[in-house]
Amino acid sequence: MNALNDSTPKTSARKPVTIHSHGLGLEFVRTVVARHGGTIDGHAAPGAGATFCISLPRAR
């Protein structure tokens, strides 16, 4: 998960401009999921985007 949370430049398929990001949105999601007892898993492939799976425990 930490490999997806770096500050490397991100690119957009719609704009030919490089966007610099620090991954704060993903870190926020990871924190919220963890505080609810869940997990988040991510997979990325160059040119194919990223997929994230969030698992949360059932409410009691």
Side-chain angles (χ1 to χ4, degrees):
M1 185 67 182
N2 289 336
L4 297 174
N5 243 355
D6 62 14
S7 62
T8 57
K10 310 295 190 282
T11 57
S12 172
R14 290 182 227 140
K15 297 179 183 178
V17 178
T18 300
I19 301 167
H20 294 280
S21 172
H22 294 283
L24 295 177
L26 186 56
E27 180 63 19
F28 174 76
V29 171
R30 187 194 65 76
T31 300
V32 172
V33 169
R35 288 184 181 180
H36 283 85
T39 60
I40 182 169
D41 187 33
H43 301 280
T51 301
F52 298 94
C53 181
I54 297 172
S55 298
L56 297 171
R58 289 183 181 257
R60 295 180 189 183

